[in-house]
Amino acid sequence: MTPAVSCAGDVAWMLFATTFVMLQTPATGLAQAGLVRRKNALSVIAQAFIGVLVGSFLWFVVGFSLTFGASHGGLIGSLDHAFFTGVGMDCLPLAPSIPGALFASFQMMFALMVPVLVTGAWAEKLPLSACLIFFVAFPLLIYYPLAHWIWNPDGWLATLGVKDFAGGLTIHTSAGISGLVVSVCVEKRRRVPGVSDAHNLPLTILGTSLVWAGWYSFNGGSALAADSHAASALLNTQIAACTSGFVWVVLEFARSRKVPLTSMASGVLSGLAAVTPGSGFISCQMSFLVGILG
């Protein structure tokens, strides 16, 4: 711990960022609910909300400690901070200008989000009981160890020089690979020829818009201060998202002579995910290239 000396500007920014990153998780449920059949829309939204509850509980009990606690061989943290023991208004070395409780809260929003990102891979295909098992097992077996490896200064990947500014490796890569594995393992969705499962595209666009807006706090807040890193990350986030969305639309139009809204949304999300790990490290010109590649 370091003394309880906080910067009011940094605290205000991080309170705002934490709030909007939390909003991203239920917004993900809204975005996915619009893409499924009407009868399953509420269950998809419910899974996102349950993910918030379970993820927050786990992070408070053991997650923060396993991720940022004293390292055991660079593989996993200790249980010294279980139930947020010792996490209060004093600042932490990783965030020297905001209270430790605020840093832990911001990181909580990341941790609870990751399992929910995978729900789209099993939408309409798994019961709630299976979702609950995943929401508990994934953080304990995947996210907490991976985040410890990269974001804990004593993690084995961190000691090798691996950098991840805002979670492109710990969050989006792990969720993406998990979604791919789930998609391969579960039964394929049964479709009626000529009939779309998406019952409410405006709901999907609304959810995507909220996720997009929250991403500014997702990346900018990862600076853990109201400084030039946060400003650069926010600008890079916007440039990469818009570039990727535009490129996707151009490619889609060249292929089908149509501009589906879902393609536009997919392109934006691709750019957001692609720029996240380096959003605070690169120039805006490089974020333009990242958007194209994403």
Side-chain angles (χ1 to χ4, degrees):
M1 295 289 185
T2 56
V5 178
S6 302
C7 169
D10 292 348
V11 172
W13 162 235
M14 292 307 300
L15 287 170
F16 174 89
T18 300
T19 301
F20 269 75
V21 175
M22 180 273 164
L23 183 62
Q24 284 187 291
T25 302
T28 298
L30 293 177
Q32 294 176 352
L35 295 174
V36 300
R37 290 171 293 180
R38 184 185 302 274
K39 68 175 184 177
N40 294 317
L42 280 179
S43 67
V44 172
I45 295 174
Q47 289 175 16
F49 274 82
I50 291 172
V52 173
L53 304 182
V54 175
S56 301
F57 173 78
L58 281 178
W59 184 254
F60 171 70
V61 175
V62 296
F64 177 79
S65 190
L66 292 176
T67 303
F68 293 103
S71 185
H72 291 295
L75 298 178
I76 196 67
S78 68
L79 292 177
D80 294 343
H81 298 302
F83 295 95
F84 278 21
T85 301
V87 179
M89 294 304 104
D90 287 339
C91 301
L92 301 175
L94 286 173
S97 63
I98 61 174
L102 181 54
F103 171 74
S105 298
F106 181 71
Q107 291 296 330
M108 178 192 295
M109 304 312 158
F110 283 29
L112 64 84
M113 177 189 300
V114 190
V116 176
L117 294 177
V118 189
T119 57
W122 69 62
E124 303 184 295
K125 293 184 285 188
L126 288 185
L128 182 59
S129 57
C131 299
L132 287 172
I133 293 173
F134 185 89
F135 288 158
V136 173
F138 184 90
L140 292 173
L141 299 178
I142 304 296
Y143 181 77
Y144 299 159
L146 181 59
H148 179 85
W149 299 348
I150 297 176
W151 279 339
N152 190 305
D154 295 323
W156 73 274
L157 287 178
T159 59
L160 294 178
V162 173
K163 300 292 185 183
D164 183 1
F165 185 77
L169 298 176
T170 56
I171 297 172
H172 303 120
T173 301
S174 63
I177 293 175
S178 299
L180 177 62
V181 172
V182 170
S183 297
V184 172
C185 292
V186 299
E187 184 181 3
K188 290 185 178 181
R189 185 174 286 106
R190 297 182 178 90
R191 297 187 182 276
V192 179
V195 177
S196 174
D197 290 339
H199 85 282
N200 193 332
L201 288 182
L203 184 63
T204 294
I205 298 303
L206 173 62
T208 302
S209 300
L210 292 172
V211 170
W212 187 354
W215 221 296
Y216 299 134
S217 297
F218 190 101
N219 287 352
S222 293
L224 303 176
D227 58 12
S228 59
H229 269 107
S232 175
L234 192 152
L235 175 61
N236 291 335
T237 300
Q238 175 71 358
I239 291 175
C242 292
T243 302
S244 186
F246 179 74
V247 170
W248 194 306
V249 166
V250 170
L251 295 174
E252 183 71 22
F253 183 79
R255 184 179 69 87
S256 64
R257 297 298 170 181
K258 297 179 181 179
V259 185
L261 279 174
T262 52
S263 294
M264 193 181 302
S266 296
V268 167
L269 293 174
S270 296
L272 291 170
V275 78
T276 291
S279 56
F281 303 138
I282 62 177
S283 65
C284 58
Q285 292 81 12
M286 184 58 67
S287 67
F288 176 75
L289 297 178
V290 169
I292 295 174
L293 294 173

